[in-house]
Amino acid sequence: MESGPARATLNGVCRMSASLPLVLLLVLIYAAQAQSLEFFDLLPEDPKLYDKMRPPKKDGQATVVYFHVTVMGLDSIDENSMTYAADIFFAQTWKDNRLRLPENMTSEYRLLEVDWLKNMWRPDSFFKNAKSVTFQTMTIPNHYLWLYKDKTILYMVKLTLKLSCAMNFLIYPHDTQECKLQMESLSHTTDEMIFQWDPDVPLVVDENIELPQLQLVKNYTADCTQVYSTGNFTCLEVVFVLKRRLGYYLFHTYVPTCLIVIMSWVSFWIKPEAAPARVTLGVTSLLTLSTQHAKSQASLPPVSYLKAVDAFMSVCTIFVFMALMEYCLVNIVLGDNDAPPAKPPPPPPPPSSASGPDATKLDKIFDIATKKSAAAPPPGPTPAQKARMRALNVDRVSRVFFPFLFAVLNVTYWIMFAKYI
């Protein structure tokens, strides 16, 4: 009789034990829903009072937006297109007193959904000198949104930028370029919004940035606010000072060019009669130098002004051309020595007044005297020998004059640009 109630009690306990996990799950779901934050929880009690198109001014003052930039890499510097690439973390911080804080917010800041920015006011900043901007999405979208206890909003995003850089190649390859990263407001004037650099850490640049032909010698922040016809629009910029490394150009342009010029002087030691050798050497040196000059300009845009490397290469080309023209002068001084020498006029016939054995003796004596006078050497050098001596003297002067003048011009060139090295 007592086994029936005991069995019923046991069945009830078993049913309660089986439903306990379900009850706990429902409690956890309810608690999660209670703690979850919706965008409307941040809006004022009357959402109509919040206008996402108007900056959150306080006491009629312009909204201040603080910027921070972390530069992780600089690369792909292209002189021909005057562009460069940069990988950055870009942070914007502003305060919006119109928002409400979550009731259960206990930490210093809270992570918000980035999509909520579509329904909130945000700075309309854009990169002024950007040709293209790539937003990183691997492995997740590289951006986040924080809300602090003092109603400050932080938006951080990772971007890859392709930026334009106005370059001046007047003293190339001894030049130093300044490439900028400019951020400007698109639609808000300075009466409504002002950009300022973060007072604590405005800019961080990775110290391990290495560029193949340029060296990052300095970077700094500046203000680039500009006046347009529609008003003043706030603007901030990061300036990268890039100095060109001379080592590549020294071993691939300057040293080979000097060797080509020196090679053209070898003709001064070749005898003047070897016309094919001297002409071939001069023409080959001139053509090689022209190819070297064209190679040095391959990576640069066509500019209308004379660059430092153009001046150096032009002077070297003139030296090679003048070495070729020097042989023209030598050939003119040497004259035409290949013509056969003129035959001496025949001796006058002997007088025929005498006859007999005496006449025969006189003829023999006359023949012997004629042969001796023909075989006797002239008293001085012939005109051909004089011309050859003058040609050799021109070569001897050129052996000293050309190297001396080239050395003077080289010393002058490197003294002028020593301060840029």
Side-chain angles (χ1 to χ4, degrees):
M1 296 295 295
E2 295 179 358
S3 61
R7 186 176 300 173
T9 303
L10 182 60
N11 290 337
V13 172
C14 291
R15 290 193 187 100
M16 290 178 63
S17 300
S19 61
L20 184 60
L22 181 60
V23 172
L24 292 175
L25 180 61
L26 293 174
V27 171
L28 290 175
I29 293 174
Y30 177 79
Q33 291 179 348
Q35 293 181 356
S36 64
L37 184 64
E38 298 293 338
F39 173 70
F40 294 102
D41 296 334
L42 301 179
L43 293 180
E45 294 181 359
D46 186 2
K48 295 181 180 180
L49 298 177
Y50 188 87
D51 186 359
K52 68 176 184 179
M53 300 302 296
R54 297 180 59 186
K57 288 186 177 182
K58 185 177 180 181
D59 300 330
Q61 299 294 325
T63 303
V64 178
V65 181
Y66 294 100
F67 279 18
H68 166 83
V69 175
T70 297
V71 181
M72 296 173 293
L74 293 174
D75 54 57
S76 303
I77 299 178
D78 188 353
E79 288 88 356
N80 200 6
S81 61
M82 293 191 181
T83 58
Y84 73 102
D87 289 324
I88 67 168
F89 272 114
F90 178 48
Q92 302 175 86
T93 306
W94 69 95
K95 185 175 290 188
D96 194 342
N97 292 304
R98 299 174 297 180
L99 299 177
R100 290 189 304 167
L101 294 177
E103 296 180 356
N104 56 352
M105 184 174 178
T106 57
S107 58
E108 183 66 24
Y109 63 88
R110 178 155 184 172
L111 184 65
L112 303 180
E113 292 285 344
V114 180
D115 291 339
W116 292 358
L117 281 174
K118 298 177 181 178
N119 300 317
M120 300 169 57
W121 181 88
R122 61 184 295 184
D124 59 345
S125 57
F126 72 102
F127 295 96
K128 186 177 179 180
N129 61 327
K131 291 184 175 293
S132 62
V133 179
T134 304
F135 174 67
Q136 305 292 337
T137 58
M138 293 298 292
T139 58
I140 59 172
N142 296 173
H143 60 169
Y144 61 84
L145 183 66
W146 284 358
L147 174 63
Y148 289 89
K149 282 186 175 181
D150 60 351
K151 298 183 180 180
T152 298
I153 299 173
L154 167 66
Y155 177 57
M156 177 79 79
V157 60
K158 183 178 183 295
L159 301 170
T160 299
L161 308 171
K162 184 179 180 181
L163 303 156
S164 63
C165 177
M167 301 182 184
N168 189 326
F169 301 106
L170 186 62
I171 59 173
Y172 176 90
H174 313 279
D175 55 326
T176 299
Q177 305 294 342
E178 289 190 355
C179 294
K180 299 178 180 181
L181 168 62
Q182 296 180 324
M183 299 150 289
E184 189 174 81
S185 172
L186 182 63
S187 60
H188 294 298
T189 62
T190 52
D191 296 332
E192 296 182 332
M193 182 177 63
I194 297 175
F195 291 164
Q196 292 184 5
W197 286 108
D198 189 293
D200 298 326
V201 185
L203 176 65
V204 176
V205 179
D206 189 358
E207 296 179 355
N208 298 320
I209 292 178
E210 277 291 334
L211 300 170
Q213 295 187 14
L214 295 167
Q215 180 183 1
L216 181 61
V217 295
K218 188 172 64 171
N219 53 80
Y220 59 92
T221 59
D223 186 279
C224 56
T225 300
Q226 192 170 352
V227 180
Y228 296 94
S229 59
T230 53
N232 297 354
F233 289 84
T234 182
C235 175
L236 296 178
E237 65 181 5
V238 180
V239 182
F240 304 104
V241 181
L242 303 169
K243 184 178 181 180
R244 197 172 302 278
R245 301 178 191 269
L246 191 60
Y248 173 83
Y249 302 93
L250 192 63
F251 292 104
H252 289 80
T253 300
Y254 288 100
V255 171
T257 301
C258 292
L259 292 178
I260 293 171
V261 175
I262 295 173
M263 183 181 70
S264 68
W265 300 339
V266 175
S267 64
F268 302 153
W269 280 266
I270 300 176
K271 59 183 180 178
E273 294 82 6
R278 295 188 66 159
V279 172
T280 302
L281 181 60
V283 173
T284 302
S285 301
L286 192 61
L287 294 177
T288 306
L289 195 58
S290 300
T291 304
Q292 184 76 6
H293 192 185
K295 180 182 176 183
S296 67
Q297 306 297 314
S299 61
L300 297 177
V303 295
S304 59
Y305 49 81
L306 185 69
K307 301 182 289 294
V309 68
D310 292 336
F312 184 85
M313 298 294 288
S314 299
V315 169
C316 292
T317 304
I318 292 174
F319 267 89
V320 175
F321 180 76
M322 293 305 296
L324 186 60
M325 291 298 102
E326 186 268 352
Y327 179 65
C328 293
L329 177 61
V330 168
N331 200 34
I332 293 173
V333 172
L334 187 62
D336 190 5
N337 294 327
D338 295 333
K343 295 182 179 179
S352 57
S353 57
S355 59
D358 295 335
T360 303
K361 291 181 180 180
L362 290 174
D363 290 340
K364 291 181 179 179
I365 294 171
F366 182 78
D367 291 340
I368 294 172
T370 302
K371 289 180 181 179
K372 288 184 178 180
S373 62
T382 63
Q385 292 174 338
K386 292 180 180 179
R388 192 174 189 280
M389 289 300 296
R390 288 196 297 268
L392 291 176
N393 289 333
V394 173
D395 278 342
R396 292 190 184 99
V397 173
S398 299
R399 294 172 192 174
V400 178
F401 176 74
F402 275 75
F404 174 75
L405 186 58
F406 187 68
V408 170
L409 291 176
N410 261 281
V411 171
T412 304
Y413 176 87
W414 290 109
I415 288 177
M416 288 177 58
F417 294 101
K419 60 182 178 180
Y420 300 108
I421 299 177

